[in-house]
Amino acid sequence: MNGKSALGVLLVIIGALAVLNIFDIRIGAIFGWMLPFILIGFGIYGWMNGKKMIGGALVAIGAIMLMSKLGSVLLLILAIGLIVAGITLFKGGSSGGRRSY
């Protein structure tokens, strides 16, 4: 990479950070979401290159980090499922659409 290309990349990064700051998006939050995917990607890359121990460890650490980030989403899905199951049971369950009074 020559000097002009490096300066161009640096200017793009500075401009992107300024735009993110205007929209009140913090780079730490973005990096916090990207880090598990980066670790999983490096783990898969290491696994494919024969470093199965390091690759497996990175995939496991990235997956654990990702599950902790997605915990609230998984809890929301579970809550919606419980609500749907409760409504189904309340309406009569699998009576085939027939109601008995």
Side-chain angles (χ1 to χ4, degrees), residues 32 35-41 43-44 53-69:
L35 184 62
F37 292 109
I38 292 170
L39 287 176
I40 291 171
I44 292 171
M53 185 69 171
I54 294 173
L58 287 176
V59 167
I61 292 170
I64 290 169
M65 289 175 68
L66 188 61
M67 291 304 287
S68 70
K69 297 270 185 210

Side-chain angles (χ1 to χ4, degrees), residues 20-43:
L20 289 174
N21 193 22
I22 290 170
F23 290 114
D24 201 29
I25 299 173
R26 303 288 177 228
I27 193 72
I30 294 171
F31 187 72
W33 274 100
M34 287 176 46
L35 184 62
F37 292 109
I38 292 170
L39 287 176
I40 291 171
F42 279 138

Side-chain angles (χ1 to χ4, degrees), residues 74-90:
L74 294 174
L75 185 61
L76 178 65
I77 292 170
L78 177 66
I80 291 171
L82 290 173
I83 291 169
V84 169
I87 290 173
T88 303
L89 288 174
F90 183 71

Side-chain angles (χ1 to χ4, degrees), residues 95 98-101:
S95 62
R98 296 181 306 174
R99 295 187 180 183
S100 59
Y101 295 99

